Amino acid sequence: MSSGVQLSFTIGWIAMLLGGVLFWLSSRRLPPLEKRHGVAAMTIVFVAFANYLAMALGQGDIFFNDRTVYFARYTDWVITTPILLASLAMFAGRSLGRIATLLAALIAADVYMIVTGLVGNLSSAPYNYYWWVISMMAFLVVLVLVWGPLRRHAEEDGQIAPYSKLAGMLTALWVCYPIVWLAGSSGASIISVTVESWLYLVLDVTAKVGFGAVALNAARQSRTR
Amino acid sequence: MSSGVQLSFTIGWIAMLLGGVLFWLSSRRLPPLEKRHGVAAMTIVFVAFANYLAMALGQGDIFFNDRTVYFARYTDWVITTPILLASLAMFAGRSLGRIATLLAALIAADVYMIVTGLVGNLSSAPYNYYWWVISMMAFLVVLVLVWGPLRRHAEEDGQIAPYSKLAGMLTALWVCYPIVWLAGSSGASIISVTVESWLYLVLDVTAKVGFGAVALNAARQSRTR
Ligand SMILES: CC1=C(/C=C/C(C)=C/C=C/C(C)=C/C=O)C(C)(C)CCC1
Ligand SMILES: CC1=C(/C=C/C(C)=C/C=C/C(C)=C/C=O)C(C)(C)CCC1
């Protein structure tokens, strides 16, 4: 592992740990009914912490089909992205139970996206590109659900202002992942492994710690309900 | 596999099977609203039965990093410990739905504890100790939630007498696991693999069959509610 890649992993686990401390402190000021936002945010960063630590210790990669696959990225994403969608969905309704079917559909498409992405990363060309396309289809389903039915729920039963803000943030950040994937070692290798790992780092920290901070802030303001 | 280890696995699956029969019989006498305790107790022992059987058949271990890892212990624990916490939580409120956030936090910390424990068992020194520390942090979160917020719920809305008894039993038994782990083949190898497997056997049977028997007994007495 090059030292640039190594450094990105070390910064990764430290950033996630700091995010965890931050969320723990700000969760204490949440009204009881909104504690769920704090539980979600903390679970996300602590899972990412463990996966970044594993990668930093050299335990999160495997050499397969002539290239190093950082499978710990996927074990991170497969757990954290469903929780990220659940925390968005918490602004779409007072209780997740009332949107259970929609949330199940979202999570199914999302997990499908991550798992097919991992299969693609373990495949040699041109198969990796087939899997990218399949994973993209699932990603489109996620986006359609976020901007269609889930958004309508937020208008009727939820809090549309924070919902829209977070959905916009989520979309802007998440679309970068398949681009990095395609440009990086899992795709055409246009960028170096070091650049790839720094791009993922910036995305992961923003999509987890940044997103969580915005979500917790919005949840605190919904105190008055 | 030494014959002492083998014997502990055989006794393990027999004990879990007997526990299942016992719980099935005593579930029939539960009042309808308390059948949930029977479902939890039976699920726990039948999952453990399957994992002990797999280990007895030589299907529950893998040779990795120069040592035998009984991964079936973790596939057991990762399913059964959340259900054990749920069955404790059933005494903290009339419906688990009302403590959903708290239960989600408990289960997140608990699953985190087991998965990082497995990663530690698959790691060589000194990394195994790092994972042990991380797993212990999650375990502390579990204990803090059990003795703090969940206990307060039991006082207000649940049945505090059986709750305290079971929380005490759970704490006393669960704290032994990280000690055995540290002393055993996953840690410093101070005790032999045979002693380790017998210690886990005693703990598993007590924490599942013993705990379940106490829980079902308490649930039967809450008939009068
Ligand atoms: C569409 C697509 C992908 C999408 C990944 C996404 C959207 C990941 C999001 C991760 C987040 C948000 C992590 C942490 O916060 C992959 C798997 C790269 C594979 C190629 C196709
Ligand atoms: C803290 C800690 C651990 C805790 C394990 C526990 C608490 C297991 C409980 C199992 C039960 C109760 C099983 C069946 O009934 C591990 C994973 C050994 C790894 C080292 C750190």
Side-chain angles (χ1 to χ4, degrees):
Chain A
M1 198 165 17
S2 87
S3 63
V5 175
Q6 173 74 53
L7 182 63
S8 77
F9 294 151
T10 306
I11 294 181
W13 70 256
I14 295 174
M16 296 302 171
L17 206 54
L18 291 178
V21 174
L22 173 80
F23 292 155
W24 183 68
L25 292 175
S26 47
S27 285
R28 306 175 64 175
R29 278 175 298 155
L30 285 176
L33 280 175
E34 302 302 336
K35 294 274 189 207
R36 54 189 189 152
H37 287 284
V39 172
M42 278 188 271
T43 306
I44 289 165
V45 290
F46 285 124
V47 168
F49 157 74
N51 281 289
Y52 267 104
L53 183 66
M55 291 195 286
L57 298 174
Q59 300 181 301
D61 54 284
I62 183 175
F63 197 74
F64 193 77
N65 272 341
D66 282 327
R67 69 177 161 211
T68 304
V69 174
Y70 293 100
F71 66 84
R73 293 197 191 290
Y74 300 89
T75 53
D76 171 340
W77 297 343
V78 82
I79 300 171
T80 58
T81 55
I83 309 177
L84 284 166
L85 292 172
S87 56
L88 177 67
M90 286 171 194
F91 290 100
R94 274 147 208 254
S95 127
L96 288 183
R98 291 165 76 176
I99 46 173
T101 304
L102 192 49
L103 187 58
L106 255 178
I107 291 178
D110 174 79
V111 169
Y112 196 97
M113 169 185 87
I114 302 297
V115 174
T116 52
L118 171 60
V119 174
N121 202 345
L122 293 167
S123 312
S124 349
Y127 299 160
N128 57 344
Y129 300 112
Y130 301 175
W131 290 109
W132 183 84
V133 172
I134 292 170
S135 179
M136 278 303 282
M137 293 296 128
F139 184 36
L140 285 182
V141 172
V142 170
L143 291 181
V144 166
L145 293 175
V146 163
W147 289 101
L150 197 60
R151 187 167 200 285
R152 274 196 296 282
H153 264 285
E155 273 163 359
E156 286 159 20
D157 183 38
Q159 299 162 267
I160 187 65
Y163 182 88
S164 296
K165 188 176 186 178
L166 287 164
M169 196 173 168
L170 185 145
T171 306
L173 290 164
W174 288 34
V175 292
C176 302
Y177 283 89
I179 300 171
V180 174
W181 195 96
L182 207 55
S185 61
S186 35
S189 290
I190 298 166
I191 56 176
S192 73
V193 176
T194 308
V195 172
E196 180 186 349
S197 74
W198 283 88
L199 289 174
Y200 278 135
L201 173 67
V202 172
L203 288 173
D204 278 350
V205 173
T206 323
K208 291 184 170 94
V209 183
F211 184 91
V214 174
L216 286 191
N217 204 42
R220 192 162 59 241
Q221 282 157 12
S222 66
R223 178 179 6 207
T224 49
R225 284 201 301 175
Chain B
M1 199 167 13
S2 87
S3 62
V5 175
Q6 174 75 55
L7 182 63
S8 78
F9 293 152
T10 306
I11 295 181
W13 70 256
I14 295 174
M16 296 302 172
L17 205 55
L18 291 177
V21 174
L22 173 80
F23 292 155
W24 183 68
L25 292 174
S26 47
S27 285
R28 306 174 66 175
R29 277 176 298 154
L30 285 176
L33 279 175
E34 303 301 336
K35 293 279 189 205
R36 55 188 190 153
H37 287 284
V39 172
M42 279 188 272
T43 306
I44 289 165
V45 288
F46 286 123
V47 168
F49 157 73
N51 281 289
Y52 267 104
L53 184 66
M55 292 194 286
L57 298 174
Q59 301 181 299
D61 54 286
I62 184 175
F63 196 75
F64 193 78
N65 272 342
D66 283 325
R67 68 179 161 208
T68 303
V69 175
Y70 292 99
F71 66 83
R73 294 197 190 290
Y74 300 89
T75 54
D76 171 342
W77 297 345
V78 83
I79 300 171
T80 58
T81 54
I83 309 176
L84 283 166
L85 292 171
S87 55
L88 176 68
M90 286 170 195
F91 289 100
R94 276 147 208 255
S95 127
L96 288 183
R98 292 165 75 174
I99 47 174
T101 302
L102 192 48
L103 187 58
L106 255 178
I107 290 177
D110 174 77
V111 169
Y112 197 94
M113 168 184 87
I114 301 298
V115 174
T116 52
L118 171 60
V119 174
N121 203 343
L122 292 168
S123 310
S124 350
Y127 297 164
N128 57 345
Y129 299 111
Y130 300 175
W131 292 109
W132 183 85
V133 171
I134 293 169
S135 179
M136 278 302 283
M137 293 295 129
F139 184 36
L140 284 182
V141 172
V142 169
L143 291 181
V144 165
L145 293 175
V146 162
W147 289 101
L150 197 60
R151 187 166 199 287
R152 273 196 295 280
H153 265 284
E155 273 165 358
E156 285 159 21
D157 183 39
Q159 299 162 267
I160 187 64
Y163 181 89
S164 297
K165 188 175 185 179
L166 286 165
M169 197 173 167
L170 184 145
T171 306
L173 290 165
W174 289 34
V175 293
C176 302
Y177 283 88
I179 301 172
V180 174
W181 195 97
L182 208 55
S185 61
S186 36
S189 290
I190 299 167
I191 56 175
S192 74
V193 176
T194 308
V195 171
E196 180 187 348
S197 73
W198 283 89
L199 289 174
Y200 278 135
L201 173 68
V202 172
L203 288 174
D204 278 349
V205 173
T206 322
K208 290 183 171 93
V209 183
F211 184 91
V214 173
L216 287 190
N217 203 42
R220 193 163 57 243
Q221 282 158 11
S222 67
R223 179 179 5 208
T224 49
R225 281 203 301 176

